[in-house]
Amino acid sequence: MNQFEAVLFDAGDTLIRLSGSGETLLHRAAAALGVDPLDPAEVAQVWRRVLDRSSTAEELAKGRDLSTTRHREVWTALYDDAGCQRLAPGLSGELYALTVSAESWEAFPDTLPTLAAVRDRGLRIGVASDTGFDLRPAMDRLGLSPFLDTVVMSFEYGVCKPATSVFRTACDKLNVDPARTLMVGDNPLTDSGAVAAGMYVFLLPPPAKTGPRGLGHVLSLI
């Protein structure tokens, strides 16, 4: 008998990611504002500052994924601090609007094949995501939703990973024992909390700029 009855996936940078580079998003946001083209070197520096700060424990502690309001406040403040407003007035807000748009997200090349293979093996599938906005429109658009039995998003529950309640809530919705559930994610600060909930965890390395995510390795575990 299979050790697992369900697989729970993180969403961002595990199944889906923002389409194109951050620099591309900044240029798109500037174009939407109607400003002159931005200097590529300055754009690259600003985006590097965003990346360097966004996944730190300090930023995660600001509760950006606990509500939609807090999400916008924290991210636009981060964009401001990274220098977006110095590039163009209003750029932080326009960049934020782009990042939460369903059209700005893409699935990794191996996402749908992996989800289909997991489903073909008779396992239930869920998503547990720390997010301050609704990812369902993006997952609908990208074709993920038909494979998902449940989606648990932090802003709807007011609690984020690594809290064990996030993972246990997902398991309850899947009607499966945590010990029979595999959690797949990419962030050791948050996704590893599933261990304390009694689950097994498979952590992916940072994604490459192009190509598959490495989700095929999940199939060797189930």
Side-chain angles (χ1 to χ4, degrees):
M1 185 175 71
N2 195 319
Q3 178 179 357
F4 298 112
E5 296 178 359
V7 181
L8 188 62
F9 290 92
D10 172 54
D13 285 337
T14 297
L15 295 176
I16 61 176
R17 66 174 168 189
L18 284 168
S19 180
S21 68
E23 290 95 331
T24 299
L25 288 172
L26 277 165
H27 285 296
R28 285 177 56 197
L33 291 172
V35 302
D36 292 335
L38 302 178
D39 179 80
E42 292 182 351
V43 167
Q45 291 175 355
V46 167
W47 190 249
R48 172 45 56 190
R49 287 193 287 269
V50 170
L51 292 179
D52 287 345
R53 301 178 189 182
S54 61
S55 296
T56 63
E58 179 183 2
E59 281 296 317
L60 294 173
K62 293 180 180 180
R64 68 191 184 200
D65 293 326
L66 294 176
S67 72
T68 54
T69 300
R70 188 62 181 154
H71 191 263
R72 180 181 178 86
E73 291 173 348
V74 172
W75 275 107
T76 53
L78 175 59
Y79 296 151
D80 287 349
D81 292 343
C84 285
Q85 292 298 99
R86 292 193 295 275
L87 291 176
L91 187 59
S92 294
E94 191 64 34
L95 177 61
Y96 179 80
L98 267 181
T99 61
V100 300
S101 169
E103 288 71 24
S104 295
W105 291 80
E106 65 181 6
F108 289 97
D110 49 348
T111 293
L112 291 177
T114 300
L115 294 178
V118 173
R119 175 54 53 83
D120 285 346
R121 298 185 186 193
L123 278 71
R124 280 159 275 180
I125 303 172
V127 163
S129 175
D130 281 350
T131 175
F133 69 100
D134 195 347
L135 287 168
R136 292 183 187 89
M139 293 190 290
D140 289 345
R141 176 177 169 272
L142 296 170
L144 278 66
S145 297
F147 296 103
L148 305 179
D149 297 297
T150 193
V151 176
V152 173
M153 293 182 287
S154 58
F155 81 94
E156 295 182 326
Y157 292 87
V159 62
C160 290
K161 299 179 287 188
T164 57
S165 61
V166 174
F167 305 103
R168 288 173 178 157
T169 295
C171 289
D172 287 345
K173 287 181 169 293
L174 290 169
N175 194 29
V176 65
D177 188 331
R180 303 275 290 162
T181 306
L182 176 66
M183 173 67 200
V184 180
D186 69 294
N187 190 330
L189 291 176
T190 56
D191 296 318
S192 60
V195 173
M199 301 168 65
Y200 291 86
V201 178
F202 179 64
L203 290 176
L204 296 163
K209 291 184 178 180
T210 60
R213 185 63 180 94
L215 293 167
H217 294 296
V218 174
L219 303 180
S220 68
L221 301 174
I222 60 173

